[in-house]
Amino acid sequence: MPGAPWWTSAVVYQVYPRSFADSDGDGIGDIPGLISKLDYLHRLGVDVVWVSPFYRSPMDDNGYDISDYQDVDPMFGTLADIDELITGLHARDMKLMIDVVVNHTSDEHPWFVQSRASKDNPKRDWYWWAPAREGVTKEPTNWIAAFQGSVWELDAATDEYYLHLFSRKQPDLNWENPDVREAIYQMLRWWLERGVDGFRMDVINYISKVLPLADGPPILNSPYGDGSAFYWCGPRIHEFLHELHTEVIAPDHRRLITVGEMPGVTIKDAQRFTDPARGEVDMVFQFEHVGLDHGPGGRYDLAPLRLTDLKRSFGRWQEGLATAGWNSLYWNNHDQPRAVSRYGTDDPEYRVRSAKLLGTVLHLHRGTPYVYQGEELGMTNHPFCGIDDFRDLESLNYFAAASAAGHDPAEVLAALRAQGRDNGRTPVQWDASEQAGFTTGTPWIAVNPNHAEINAAAQVDDPDSVFTHYRRLVSLRHESPVVALGDFTMLLADDEQVYAFTRRFEGTELLVIANFGVTEQRVDLPGWSDAETVLGNYPDSAPDAQPVLTLRAWEARILRRG
Ligand code: ISL
């Protein structure tokens, strides 16, 4: 449609550089490794490559703790490599989206080093400092940090506490201070001048805090409280994002893409964040569907996922952002388990089929789809044997805390195996060789033993592979306005096993129908039985010659009429 932003028909691919491709044999992926795979990404057809943080960092949280926003960590390469990456992407008509982590810095960032030096340092107010409070609990508030323990760390130099919503090596910046905001805008403009095409903004809805900071509701069986009401979409969040947009994005907004990562964001908030008339961000990452299999105890409290809940969630977001605003669409990323293992099946008989089904369902929603590295190959969760196999500080801290609290270590491990972030961080499986073609050295985290079977080399030229199916989905979005812009209508909302919806645009209508299970499903959808099949995940996905559609195990089809 003329006038629709380019990213409505675009697909974004996420690279977690540490695990993507290693060029120098140190066991850690790097930017030259990524550059060597640009033809692969071009073949897949994706439009934008989002690269997780590659900046200088002590790597407490794998680079989400930045100590220099304007340099590349030597582990990953150099600024010249980034320039070459940008040139290589642009030469292939692809764009670079960088990951901006500005809710917090590393504690080794010079800003924080100065801030902690003395109470009267000019940068003191760039972070959140508070004295001990009277009473038994000295921490200024009772909030629990995302990675366990208190969000407050006592700093001996000045005998005050600083706030860190994540690890103690990730102190929160104080966005109330206009100098902080200006320094960030300058840094972002510097990257735009270097040629980057957009920003993924890490936990960006945490930057405005409710003042004064105070205790949150207590958490059951925990000495801590939940502070999220003080930092999820705080009172100045829209003002800050609009200011960032005005200062950094607006002059060139037609070329750029922005996505704000926003745990806890509601549909109502998202409508405001993504309404183009307000000038904030193009889209947000919301967390509703990735929380549906979490019990009341959080992500490691495993709960069964019901398809009806998943459909209800997606359906509400589709409806909520139908007229103003825009959705992002994702199954997984570097913080989530693998999509196939979670929403599909690892059963070797149906794994490939379920991977294609998941791609089909996601990419046919209205919104911009994000493919996480390896998803296009149908990579699965890792069979971690013991805690020594994990690398993620969140998993390691959780294991320590849960063990100390007396939980059965076997159960804790089972939860980590299902939900741990490292599932998404094992190396991309390029081929069947010993380290999956990821490195010639020893990988920083073990490659999945199933790489002998699941790998890119086996898939890129195979017309029946998950890779080829994803390639078709990407090109379908490029070619069909109905995929990018069509209206969305959910069907069969109460069906426990079938996911079905239609998309409609200017006289063309698509039906997407998918069977999330092995038992055959027969669905009566009048008017669709003789429609043309656009794409399916069975080799013979021909239309039925009866008024009832029969869906085989993990079958997904896209039908078109009009
Ligand atoms: O994975 C999570 C914890 O179980 C998420 O809540 C995650 O912490 C949240 O999505 C924020 O993630 C982002 O910021 C973190 C970083 O560790 C994640 O990798 C990043 O995606 C802190 O920068």
Side-chain angles (χ1 to χ4, degrees), residues 192-220:
L192 289 183
E193 277 160 29
R194 239 188 153 90
V196 312
D197 308 286
F199 303 117
R200 177 268 188 188
M201 305 176 189
D202 192 69
V203 289
I204 201 69
N205 64 326
Y206 288 17
I207 59 178
S208 164
K209 273 78 171 171
V210 175
L211 302 176
L213 309 182
D215 281 350
I219 298 171
L220 199 65

Coordinates of all heavy atoms in Angstrom, one line a residue, residues 192-220:
L192 N 24.0 6.5 14.0 CA 23.2 6.7 12.8 C 24.1 7.3 11.7 O 24.1 6.9 10.6 CB 22.0 7.7 13.0 CG 20.9 7.1 13.8 CD1 19.7 8.2 13.9 CD2 20.3 5.8 13.2
E193 N 25.0 8.2 12.1 CA 26.0 8.7 11.2 C 26.9 7.6 10.6 O 27.4 7.7 9.5 CB 26.8 9.9 11.8 CG 26.1 11.2 11.8 CD 26.6 12.2 12.8 OE1 27.8 12.1 13.1 OE2 25.8 13.0 13.3
R194 N 27.2 6.6 11.4 CA 28.0 5.5 11.0 C 27.3 4.6 10.0 O 27.9 3.8 9.4 CB 28.4 4.7 12.2 CG 29.9 4.6 12.3 CD 30.4 3.7 13.3 NE 31.7 3.4 12.9 CZ 32.9 4.0 13.2 NH1 32.8 5.1 14.0 NH2 34.0 3.6 12.7
G195 N 26.0 4.8 9.9 CA 25.2 4.0 8.9 C 24.2 3.0 9.4 O 23.6 2.3 8.6
V196 N 24.0 2.9 10.7 CA 23.1 1.9 11.2 C 21.7 2.4 10.9 O 21.4 3.6 10.7 CB 23.2 1.6 12.7 CG1 24.6 1.3 13.1 CG2 22.6 2.7 13.6
D197 N 20.7 1.5 10.8 CA 19.4 1.8 10.2 C 18.3 1.6 11.3 O 17.1 1.7 10.9 CB 19.1 0.8 9.1 CG 20.2 0.8 8.1 OD1 20.3 1.7 7.3 OD2 21.0 -0.2 8.0
G198 N 18.7 1.4 12.5 CA 17.6 1.3 13.5 C 18.1 0.7 14.8 O 19.3 0.4 15.0
F199 N 17.2 0.8 15.8 CA 17.5 0.4 17.2 C 16.5 -0.5 17.8 O 15.3 -0.3 17.7 CB 17.6 1.7 18.0 CG 18.5 2.7 17.6 CD1 18.1 4.0 17.2 CD2 19.9 2.5 17.5 CE1 18.9 5.0 16.7 CE2 20.8 3.5 17.1 CZ 20.3 4.7 16.7
R200 N 17.0 -1.6 18.4 CA 16.2 -2.4 19.3 C 16.6 -1.9 20.7 O 17.8 -1.8 21.1 CB 16.6 -3.8 19.2 CG 15.9 -4.8 20.1 CD 16.6 -5.1 21.4 NE 16.0 -6.2 22.2 CZ 16.4 -6.5 23.4 NH1 17.4 -5.8 24.0 NH2 15.9 -7.5 24.1
M201 N 15.6 -1.4 21.5 CA 15.9 -0.7 22.8 C 15.6 -1.7 23.9 O 14.4 -2.0 24.2 CB 15.1 0.6 22.8 CG 15.3 1.5 21.6 SD 14.3 2.9 21.8 CE 14.5 3.7 20.2
D202 N 16.7 -2.0 24.6 CA 16.6 -3.0 25.7 C 15.8 -2.4 26.9 O 16.0 -1.3 27.3 CB 18.0 -3.3 26.2 CG 18.1 -4.5 27.1 OD1 17.9 -5.6 26.6 OD2 18.4 -4.3 28.3
V203 N 14.8 -3.2 27.4 CA 14.0 -2.9 28.6 C 13.7 -1.3 28.6 O 13.9 -0.7 29.7 CB 14.5 -3.4 29.9 CG1 14.3 -4.9 30.0 CG2 16.0 -3.0 30.2
I204 N 13.3 -0.8 27.5 CA 13.2 0.6 27.4 C 12.0 1.2 28.2 O 12.0 2.4 28.6 CB 13.2 1.1 25.9 CG1 13.6 2.6 25.8 CG2 11.8 0.8 25.3 CD1 15.0 2.8 26.1
N205 N 11.1 0.3 28.5 CA 9.9 0.8 29.4 C 10.3 0.8 30.9 O 9.5 1.1 31.7 CB 8.7 0.0 29.2 CG 8.8 -1.5 29.6 OD1 9.9 -2.0 29.5 ND2 7.8 -2.1 30.1
Y206 N 11.6 0.6 31.2 CA 12.0 0.6 32.6 C 12.7 2.0 32.9 O 13.1 2.2 34.1 CB 13.0 -0.4 32.9 CG 12.6 -1.9 33.0 CD1 11.3 -2.3 32.5 CD2 13.4 -2.8 33.6 CE1 10.9 -3.6 32.5 CE2 12.9 -4.2 33.7 CZ 11.7 -4.5 33.1 OH 11.3 -5.9 33.2
I207 N 12.9 2.9 31.9 CA 13.7 4.0 32.2 C 13.1 5.1 33.0 O 13.8 5.9 33.6 CB 14.2 4.7 30.8 CG1 13.0 5.1 30.0 CG2 15.1 3.7 30.1 CD1 13.5 5.8 28.6
S208 N 11.8 5.2 33.1 CA 11.1 6.2 34.0 C 10.6 5.5 35.3 O 9.8 4.5 35.2 CB 9.9 6.8 33.2 OG 9.1 7.5 34.2
K209 N 11.1 6.0 36.4 CA 10.8 5.3 37.7 C 9.7 6.2 38.4 O 9.7 7.4 38.3 CB 12.0 5.2 38.6 CG 12.8 3.9 38.3 CD 13.7 3.9 37.2 CE 14.6 2.7 37.1 NZ 15.3 2.6 35.8
V210 N 8.8 5.5 39.1 CA 7.9 6.2 40.0 C 8.6 6.8 41.2 O 9.2 6.0 41.9 CB 6.7 5.3 40.4 CG1 5.8 6.0 41.3 CG2 6.0 4.8 39.2
L211 N 8.4 8.1 41.4 CA 9.1 8.7 42.6 C 8.1 9.1 43.7 O 7.0 9.5 43.3 CB 9.9 9.9 42.1 CG 10.9 9.6 41.0 CD1 11.5 10.9 40.5 CD2 12.0 8.7 41.5
P212 N 8.5 9.0 44.9 CA 9.7 8.4 45.4 C 9.7 6.9 45.3 O 8.7 6.3 45.4 CB 9.8 8.9 46.9 CG 8.3 9.0 47.3 CD 7.6 9.4 46.0
L213 N 10.9 6.3 45.2 CA 11.0 4.9 45.1 C 10.6 4.3 46.5 O 11.0 4.9 47.5 CB 12.5 4.4 44.9 CG 13.1 5.1 43.6 CD1 14.6 4.5 43.5 CD2 12.3 4.9 42.4
A214 N 9.7 3.3 46.5 CA 9.2 2.8 47.8 C 9.0 1.3 47.7 O 9.1 0.7 46.6 CB 7.9 3.5 48.2
D215 N 8.7 0.7 48.8 CA 8.5 -0.8 48.8 C 7.4 -1.2 47.9 O 6.4 -0.6 47.7 CB 8.2 -1.3 50.2 CG 9.4 -1.4 51.1 OD1 10.6 -1.2 50.5 OD2 9.3 -1.6 52.3
G216 N 7.6 -2.4 47.2 CA 6.5 -3.0 46.5 C 5.9 -4.2 47.3 O 6.4 -4.5 48.4
P217 N 4.9 -4.8 46.7 CA 4.2 -5.9 47.5 C 5.2 -7.0 47.7 O 6.0 -7.4 46.9 CB 3.1 -6.3 46.5 CG 3.4 -5.7 45.2 CD 4.2 -4.5 45.4
P218 N 5.1 -7.6 48.9 CA 6.0 -8.8 49.2 C 5.8 -9.9 48.3 O 4.7 -10.2 47.8 CB 5.6 -9.1 50.7 CG 4.3 -8.5 50.9 CD 4.1 -7.4 50.0
I219 N 6.8 -10.7 48.0 CA 6.7 -11.9 47.2 C 6.7 -13.1 48.1 O 7.4 -13.2 49.1 CB 8.0 -12.0 46.3 CG1 8.0 -10.8 45.3 CG2 8.0 -13.3 45.5 CD1 9.3 -10.7 44.5
L220 N 5.7 -14.0 47.8 CA 5.5 -15.2 48.6 C 6.8 -16.0 48.8 O 7.5 -16.2 47.8 CB 4.4 -16.1 48.0 CG 3.7 -17.1 48.8 CD1 2.9 -16.4 49.9 CD2 2.9 -18.0 48.0

